[in-house]
Amino acid sequence: MKRYLYTGLFLLAAAAPLRAEDGSRLWLRGNATAHARVAAGRQSPTIAIAVSELQAQWQGAAVQLSIVPNKALGDDGFSISGSPQSGVTIAAVAEQGLLYGAYHLLRLQETQSLPPTLSITETPRYALRILNHWDNLDGSVERGYAGRSLWKWGELPDTLSPRYAAYARANASVGVNGTVLNNVNASPQILSPPMLRKVKAIADVLRPYHIRVYLSINFSSPMALGSLETADPLDKAVQRWWGGKVAEIYRLIPDFGGFLVKANSEGLPGPQDYGRTHLDGANMLADALAPHSGIVMWRAFVYSPNDPDRAKQAYQEFMPFDGKFRPNVIIQVKNGPVDFQPREPFSPLFGAMQRTPVMVELQITQEYLGFSNHLAYLGTLFEECLQSDTYARGAGSTVAKATDGSLFAHPLTAIAGVANIGSDVGWCGHPFAQASWYAFGRLAWSHSLPAEAIAREWLRQTFGSDSAFVEPAAAMMMQSREAVVSYMMPLGLHHLFAWGHHYGPEPWCRVPNARPDWLPSYYHKADSAGLGFDRSSTGSHATAQYFTPLREQWDNLETCDERYLLWFHHVPWGYTMKSGRTLWSELCHRYQSGVDSVRAMQQAWDRLQPYVDAERFALVQSRLRTQARDAVWWRDACLLYFQTFSRRPIPYALERPVHDLDELMKVKLEMTHHN
Ligand code: GCW
């Protein structure tokens, strides 16, 4: 079986009732036909952007932009008053509030939700709303499925791609105010003087949109770039080197945001190479940045094999340091304890680390959700994580509240999303993948917005406001991520991916001498008795890292949320599930329901053809076909493989597999992108 992943599309010769669109305008498709009267009491490059956006697009009467001393609005907040008919006032403490207010007003117009009288006050829940680009200096993008890197390092700093400003505009329109330009697997070269001049050129373009630049750093930089013989964070020469480097950066980029650090993780250097700790490393960099008000985002994605359960390791390594970090350090924690799986319970560090600022890292790029081939709207995944109750201070202690400064009063609050953006004309590789970028920005601003409301907003702006389109399309989006969970890894299964890439299934994968925790069998633990990883008190006891009542609920097979069942338990094949079916039978039903959902998405999409331009219609239709084939592939691979252990028949009411296990075990994908 040969699979063609990025080999072009066969566009259908469908009638094109609507203008063709390539997706390049994202959700900002307002037609520049308006000539609104817009007045501002002050001038600045940022205010000029707000004014010109409103002038071009606002269909109502006049707009007044005012700076007011209303401290309650904070740096980024705004209020909107007046009425579209008689005139609107946008007020803010700072210029960026006016910019966000302008985009908010235009969004209400474009989504056809302008009330007759406006009385709006908005402030963001997180101070820092940051995209992380895993972009390498050679133009490749780690886990990127939307072409090459947006950053054209070769032609910078002299040539500025028009996409930089378009990128800044799109982000500002949803409130994103920071970007880490380079991969966390960082090359020391990013801090070399020529590269810093290129970074400065990008920062200059992003500045009027109030997007700060941050960089990922390599912990060995003092050795690779300087002539030091060590990168020991307690070494005075090392500290001086970082101090000098940071000062050099701020001379070029006075509003530079700070560093993102992946250290002692997946082979990268870090303080532990010198017998020091994450605390020593983070605080050393924090001291270098503090005089310039820069911050350190230190990642907790670590799993040195000191405990047989990888899911426990970040908590074990970081909890002892709680309360000991400098105030300008924030710990960046992936949503789940393992690694961006289609579904994971939230990381136990949320809620547990109370005396240190902690930020959520979400993955917008679909590393584990079918790349840009599969339609998987991640607003629901982000919402599920942010609304998970940690019970850290009793019921209602959601991950969102444990990180937004409300439950634990930290002035430094932030959230990050690993971008799915590249050189692709449509930015994200799949028209619907734009929605996950959009949703990240909207949730970073307001983490209690329902994913469904965000989907509708995005659809109206990106395609059109006809409810005959919006309602079925929103329904399709809302079930899309759950569909992926069902056909890939239902009931708490995780990491069944093929070796070397994370696209297709390889639950049988064996690689001689590989780290056990990089192999699917480490996670699914299938045997003749049953399936799943025992993380309960009879196993690795990861449940103990959660607060009561979760630890008890999840510890007990009978009360464990079935979404996480095989995450926390090794369950007998004949175990009776809530549906009354056996585990085996339930597993078969779940895989089939995933396939069925994709078929339903295909049907729903085909019905929407009259409402969509031909170009995007055909692209989505073609991607859904790939997704439908892949869903069957996943179902057959996983069920036929697990059946070698369960030795039970696939329930007779369900579709039969269409592949042979032997054949599937021979599939080797030719991936054209970086794995
Ligand atoms: O998910 C894993 C990815 C790596 C990534 C790493 C991380 C950037 O497979 O590609 O490296 O996580 O988040 O550091």
Side-chain angles (χ1 to χ4, degrees):
M1 178 168 52
K2 190 162 168 71
R3 294 186 164 260
Y4 296 90
L5 287 172
Y6 299 99
T7 50
L9 294 158
F10 299 94
L11 297 182
L12 297 182
L18 300 164
R19 183 185 146 193
E21 299 221 28
D22 58 13
S24 60
R25 292 188 296 161
L26 294 160
W27 50 87
L28 296 166
R29 291 162 56 259
N31 288 316
T33 52
H35 304 282
R37 273 184 299 123
V38 183
R42 256 187 239 175
Q43 302 301 316
S44 77
T46 301
I47 294 176
I49 295 169
V51 169
S52 83
E53 293 279 20
L54 290 165
Q55 272 172 346
Q57 291 166 67
W58 177 239
Q59 316 272 341
V63 184
Q64 171 71 41
L65 303 178
S66 308
I67 297 284
V68 293
N70 178 1
K71 289 276 171 261
L73 292 174
D75 288 344
D76 293 356
F78 57 84
S79 67
I80 308 180
S81 56
S83 82
Q85 280 74 31
S86 61
V88 172
T89 300
I90 303 177
V93 175
E95 56 176 14
Q96 67 267 34
L98 297 180
L99 184 66
Y100 296 138
Y103 284 122
H104 191 89
L105 185 65
L106 291 171
R107 176 165 51 243
L108 293 176
Q109 171 180 281
E110 295 305 307
T111 56
Q112 307 196 336
S113 29
L114 271 174
T117 312
L118 291 151
S119 170
I120 293 168
T121 302
E122 287 263 336
T123 54
R125 297 273 76 79
Y126 294 103
L128 307 178
R129 308 171 293 274
I130 303 178
L131 286 181
N132 289 184
H133 290 268
W134 287 356
D135 293 24
N136 299 312
L137 304 189
D138 66 1
S140 61
V141 182
E142 182 154 350
R143 314 302 177 185
Y145 316 105
R148 306 272 297 165
S149 172
L150 208 56
W151 321 122
K152 308 270 179 244
W153 297 116
E155 58 183 46
L156 281 160
D158 302 321
T159 304
L160 297 171
S161 156
R163 282 218 137 186
Y164 304 155
Y167 164 87
R169 177 180 181 234
N171 279 313
S173 79
V174 290
V176 169
N177 67 356
T179 179
V180 183
L181 299 181
N182 62 319
N183 192 351
V184 288
N185 292 326
S187 159
Q189 290 309 318
I190 190 69
L191 296 183
S192 67
M195 283 307 299
L196 288 178
R197 281 193 291 279
K198 296 168 194 271
V199 171
K200 172 200 162 38
I202 297 176
D204 288 344
V205 177
L206 306 191
R207 184 169 299 108
Y209 292 90
H210 265 268
I211 295 170
R212 276 179 193 229
V213 163
Y214 300 74
L215 293 175
S216 297
I217 59 103
N218 182 298
F219 204 79
S220 294
S221 299
M223 298 158 78
L225 287 182
S227 47
L228 302 195
E229 269 161 24
T230 176
D232 181 345
L234 300 193
D235 183 288
K236 289 278 177 282
V238 169
Q239 295 168 359
R240 263 198 308 278
W241 188 88
W242 280 109
K245 186 49 83 177
V246 166
E248 177 188 342
I249 297 173
Y250 277 90
R251 277 195 295 277
L252 291 165
I253 309 167
D255 57 351
F256 180 71
F259 293 149
L260 172 62
V261 191
K262 173 175 177 177
N264 293 121
S265 165
E266 301 188 327
L268 284 168
Q272 292 174 347
D273 304 349
Y274 309 95
R276 312 300 183 193
T277 64
H278 287 291
L279 181 68
D280 297 327
N283 284 351
M284 182 273 292
L285 291 174
D287 289 343
L289 286 154
H292 313 271
S293 308
I295 64 161
V296 176
M297 295 169 283
W298 191 273
R299 292 175 95 228
F301 179 65
V302 297
Y303 52 103
S304 42
N306 53 6
D307 186 285
D309 183 0
R310 172 173 163 183
K312 290 168 61 186
Q313 291 161 11
Y315 181 101
Q316 287 172 335
E317 276 208 48
F318 280 83
M319 281 306 286
F321 303 134
D322 191 15
K324 299 183 180 156
F325 290 97
R326 300 281 192 267
N328 59 333
V329 175
I330 186 163
I331 305 302
Q332 181 164 319
V333 181
K334 289 188 182 184
N335 61 288
V338 171
D339 190 9
F340 296 140
Q341 296 302 292
R343 170 164 282 133
E344 297 189 32
F346 66 88
S347 163
L349 281 169
F350 299 121
M353 253 194 138
Q354 305 187 345
R355 288 174 296 139
T356 307
V358 174
M359 64 191 282
V360 183
E361 177 180 318
L362 300 165
Q363 195 182 41
I364 310 170
T365 190
Q366 291 170 222
E367 173 180 359
Y368 294 104
L369 290 105
F371 297 0
S372 52
N373 285 344
H374 294 196
L375 195 164
Y377 167 56
L378 301 184
T380 47
L381 189 162
F382 304 160
E383 178 181 52
E384 181 175 298
C385 167
L386 292 167
Q387 295 311 324
S388 289
D389 200 339
T390 69
Y391 292 92
R393 292 271 165 91
S397 307
T398 58
V399 169
K401 290 186 182 156
T403 52
D404 71 359
S406 62
L407 206 56
F408 315 116
H410 300 296
L412 180 53
T413 63
I415 185 166
V418 180
N420 61 353
I421 301 164
S423 61
D424 171 38
V425 175
W427 296 88
C428 303
H430 189 303
F432 277 81
Q434 296 176 359
S436 299
W437 172 12
Y438 181 89
F440 169 75
R442 297 289 287 133
L443 286 166
W445 182 276
S446 179
H447 56 51
S448 55
L449 281 176
E452 186 161 12
I454 297 173
R456 289 208 181 90
E457 250 182 29
W458 176 80
L459 284 163
R460 289 200 170 99
Q461 296 168 89
T462 308
F463 288 100
S465 276
D466 193 327
S467 60
F469 167 76
V470 172
E471 292 310 308
M476 182 177 85
M477 288 169 75
M478 287 305 289
Q479 58 146 314
S480 60
R481 178 267 187 150
E482 197 65 46
V484 180
V485 171
S486 299
Y487 62 70
M488 286 187 183
M489 287 166 236
L491 299 174
L493 285 172
H494 49 293
H495 235 312
L496 306 183
F497 294 96
W499 180 259
H501 61 76
H502 293 149
Y503 189 75
E506 213 171 74
W508 50 80
C509 178
R510 279 199 199 97
V511 175
N513 307 322
R515 270 179 78 134
D517 60 0
W518 282 359
L519 294 174
S521 56
Y522 169 92
Y523 297 97
H524 64 65
K525 304 232 185 302
D527 56 22
S528 59
L531 182 64
F533 195 130
D534 185 0
R535 294 192 169 103
S536 75
S537 43
T538 56
S540 76
H541 212 180
T543 46
Q545 294 182 339
Y546 292 93
F547 287 92
T548 298
L550 288 183
R551 64 162 72 179
E552 293 81 12
Q553 270 168 22
W554 289 351
D555 199 64
N556 180 341
L557 183 55
E558 297 296 321
T559 55
C560 183
D561 186 336
E562 284 192 351
R563 293 181 304 174
Y564 308 131
L565 193 68
L566 304 177
W567 183 281
F568 288 115
H569 296 276
H570 190 70
V571 182
W573 294 111
Y575 177 77
T576 307
M577 303 286 290
K578 298 209 170 61
S579 62
R581 299 182 186 119
T582 62
L583 168 67
W584 167 250
S585 168
E586 184 66 23
L587 194 70
C588 295
H589 276 86
R590 294 291 175 111
Y591 273 104
Q592 183 59 42
S593 81
V595 171
D596 292 344
S597 296
V598 181
R599 300 258 166 74
M601 292 201 285
Q602 289 185 281
Q603 285 176 332
W605 185 247
D606 281 357
R607 286 200 183 96
L608 296 176
Q609 184 166 13
Y611 304 97
V612 183
D613 52 281
E615 204 172 345
R616 287 184 297 175
F617 178 78
L619 180 52
V620 173
Q621 187 183 53
S622 154
R623 292 293 161 92
L624 283 169
R625 288 180 183 148
T626 303
Q627 188 172 0
R629 290 193 296 275
D630 288 346
V632 170
W633 174 29
W634 269 96
R635 177 200 66 191
D636 288 1
C638 295
L639 289 183
L640 291 173
Y641 173 69
F642 290 137
Q643 192 178 36
T644 65
F645 299 95
S646 80
R647 307 204 167 275
R648 292 166 184 246
I650 292 172
Y652 299 112
L654 299 182
E655 269 182 27
R656 307 288 92 193
V658 295
H659 299 102
D660 291 320
L661 184 57
D662 294 352
E663 173 208 348
L664 292 176
M665 288 176 74
K666 283 186 217 133
V667 174
K668 285 281 168 244
L669 290 186
E670 295 165 30
M671 307 304 285
T672 53
H673 56 83
H674 185 83
N675 302 329

